[in-house]
Amino acid sequence: MAKLLGAEQRCLDWTDAPLRFWPVERWSQVTVERFKATGHTFVDLFPSAEEVSLIANRLMHTLSVLAPDELWIPMGVVDHVDHRTTRSACLLSLAEAGDRFSKLPVFMYEDVPHSSSVGRAAQIRAALAECGTHLVRCTEDITDVLAEKLRLVSVYASQFELSKMELRIREIAGGEAEAGKFVETYHRVEGARGLPPESHLSPDWGSLATLQTETRSLLADRTKWRRLTLLALPSGHLGRWKTDTESLMAAFPNAVLKVYASEEVAWQAEEGLNYKSTLAVVRRWTGWLCAIGCELFRFRTPTIVLWSGAFVSGFKRKLLKALFPFRHVLFAPKLCDFCGLLNEELGNAIPSRPPRSVSSRPANTNSAERLFLIFACLLEIVLE
């Protein structure tokens, strides 16, 4: 790509997301098939603070050497962790540089074709405004170079189906232009250069905000918990298993971790178990009945449910919560989402203003209603 553009590529010694999620020495034909079937499992992750900091330091050095006239960075409107990590690392390096690059013009480009996500750019603008960074929206006429852009986009192996990509790119580029014209949107960075909490920049921030409130309540008594239960349903995601479980153990130092994982996702936890964690692979509905039976009467045991429908309120969520009465029950699509919030809360804690103590016992609940929902859910599982 760089050669086609007449540019020079600089490598920062950082591997692509799939190879960070699953190290190259552990890849096999089975891994390749999993990647083909569910590629999002390997790339749609909550950015790691350690990786963001590492890349920010390398970018700082590179910027000092290159002394550029302008800096263009991705807006990170897509779920892909590489886009989001790059965006946050660039912002962090600028924030930590102080006046060093204060006069360097900085622009953010929307990740085409992913920029079609409704409201994502506006959400990121609002999140950056919280820390004094203002984005001025601009457009550039690309009508004369659209064909060249399409040719360059097709170079990427992940986007080689030009017939499909072209329709999306033309739709985005023509959305705000005059008839027969195409434009590309970008944003000029003005004001203070800062980095808001990563969760505020997430595509799921609206739902993560609710989970964050529940997480704070759980952390208020974090040293009191002796056991945590983690349920990874077939559509759930165990995130970066090793580092995320380390985050859990650090956040709840006196607790042991019991994990029930569907056989569809249990492979993500092949390594990383320790003396404080145990994993039970759940097969078929009978296995889930056993898991529910084991946990049903473990009252006051915080339970985290990993499920693709975690952020969708509805009857299924209510049923799942009813299966684990008299305790905190938190829902997240991926373990890294929950652990990302944990790390933010613990890292941003102010010693002089600790979180207000919250009772570990949930609010009073109608027992009859809970029992009814429990049996209804069990019946639904059996019938399936």
Side-chain angles (χ1 to χ4, degrees):
M1 174 64 76
K3 185 177 181 180
L4 291 173
L5 289 170
E8 179 184 347
Q9 178 182 349
R10 293 293 181 96
C11 179
L12 299 183
D13 192 25
W14 191 46
T15 55
D16 288 346
L19 299 181
R20 299 198 309 278
F21 177 77
W22 205 252
V24 63
E25 64 272 11
R26 296 177 59 193
W27 277 66
S28 64
Q29 187 58 41
V30 173
T31 312
V32 173
E33 294 303 319
R34 285 171 177 158
F35 181 68
K36 288 181 179 179
T38 57
H40 61 87
T41 298
F42 295 74
V43 300
D44 292 351
L45 302 166
F46 195 97
S48 159
E50 291 76 14
E51 288 186 353
V52 169
S53 180
L54 174 66
I55 299 303
N57 289 334
R58 292 177 181 175
L59 282 170
M60 182 84 73
H61 174 73
T62 302
L63 287 175
S64 299
V65 172
L66 294 177
D69 295 322
E70 294 180 352
L71 178 62
W72 289 76
I73 65 180
M75 198 170 193
V77 298
V78 65
D79 285 337
H80 198 299
V81 66
D82 284 350
H83 291 239
R84 296 168 63 186
T85 299
T86 302
R87 181 242 1 252
S88 296
C90 289
L91 292 173
L92 179 60
S93 63
L94 291 172
E96 292 184 340
D99 295 334
R100 194 172 177 183
F101 301 113
S102 60
K103 295 183 179 180
L104 174 66
V106 180
F107 303 90
M108 300 185 79
Y109 61 88
E110 296 188 9
D111 318 48
V112 175
H114 314 290
S115 57
S116 58
S117 303
V118 177
R120 283 290 293 122
Q123 177 212 334
I124 292 173
R125 286 199 302 270
L128 290 172
E130 293 175 3
C131 57
T133 303
H134 302 286
L135 301 185
V136 179
R137 191 173 184 276
C138 311
T139 58
E140 181 74 19
D141 190 329
I142 62 168
T143 307
D144 294 339
V145 295
L146 181 61
E148 181 69 5
K149 178 182 178 67
L150 292 170
R151 184 177 73 86
L152 292 171
V153 167
S154 68
V155 169
Y156 287 100
S158 61
Q159 302 177 17
F160 72 94
E161 295 186 65
L162 185 57
S163 59
K164 294 181 180 179
M165 301 300 294
E166 181 175 357
L167 292 175
R168 297 178 65 185
I169 291 173
R170 286 183 177 275
E171 180 183 1
I172 295 168
E176 298 184 24
E178 300 175 5
K181 296 286 187 179
F182 297 94
V183 299
E184 192 152 299
T185 303
Y186 65 97
H187 304 262
R188 186 173 66 252
V189 178
E190 294 186 349
R193 294 171 178 180
L195 176 64
E198 190 63 48
S199 59
H200 292 209
L201 295 166
S202 168
D204 296 316
W205 167 236
S207 299
L208 284 175
T210 301
L211 179 59
Q212 186 179 56
T213 300
E214 297 170 341
T215 301
R216 286 173 182 165
S217 177
L218 192 63
L219 285 172
D221 293 315
R222 68 191 190 95
T223 59
K224 295 181 180 179
W225 305 119
R226 296 294 180 265
R227 190 176 192 273
L228 296 176
T229 299
L230 182 66
L231 303 173
L233 303 187
S235 62
H237 190 298
L238 288 171
R240 303 179 188 86
W241 175 252
K242 188 175 185 300
T243 55
D244 286 342
T245 50
E246 288 173 355
S247 294
L248 282 174
M249 295 297 96
F252 307 101
N254 299 319
V256 295
L257 177 64
K258 178 63 179 181
V259 183
Y260 297 93
S262 169
E263 58 184 336
E264 288 88 348
V265 299
W267 63 272
Q268 298 169 23
E270 286 181 2
E271 292 186 4
L273 290 173
N274 55 49
Y275 72 98
K276 295 186 69 176
S277 60
T278 56
L279 170 67
V281 179
V282 182
R283 296 177 174 84
R284 300 185 298 178
W285 63 268
T286 52
W288 283 112
L289 283 178
C290 291
I292 292 169
C294 290
E295 296 297 321
L296 182 60
F297 297 106
R298 288 187 177 274
F299 303 139
R300 300 182 65 183
T301 297
T303 301
I304 300 102
V305 180
L306 305 179
W307 169 46
S308 63
F311 292 154
V312 179
S313 59
F315 187 61
K316 286 187 177 180
R317 179 181 167 118
K318 191 174 183 180
L319 285 173
L320 282 168
K321 195 163 187 176
L323 288 170
F324 306 99
F326 312 117
R327 72 198 77 187
H328 293 278
V329 180
L330 287 72
F331 294 86
K334 311 177 189 76
L335 181 58
C336 59
D337 290 331
F338 177 65
C339 290
L341 291 177
L342 277 182
N343 293 332
E344 284 185 359
E345 288 300 308
L346 294 176
N348 294 333
I350 302 175
S352 60
R353 296 179 61 186
R356 185 177 61 180
S357 177
V358 179
S359 172
S360 61
R361 184 170 184 173
N364 291 334
T365 309
N366 187 312
S367 299
E369 179 185 3
R370 281 192 175 277
L371 287 174
F372 170 77
L373 289 172
I374 288 170
F375 287 118
C377 191
L378 289 173
L379 179 61
E380 182 182 53
I381 293 173
V382 171
L383 291 177
E384 286 183 353

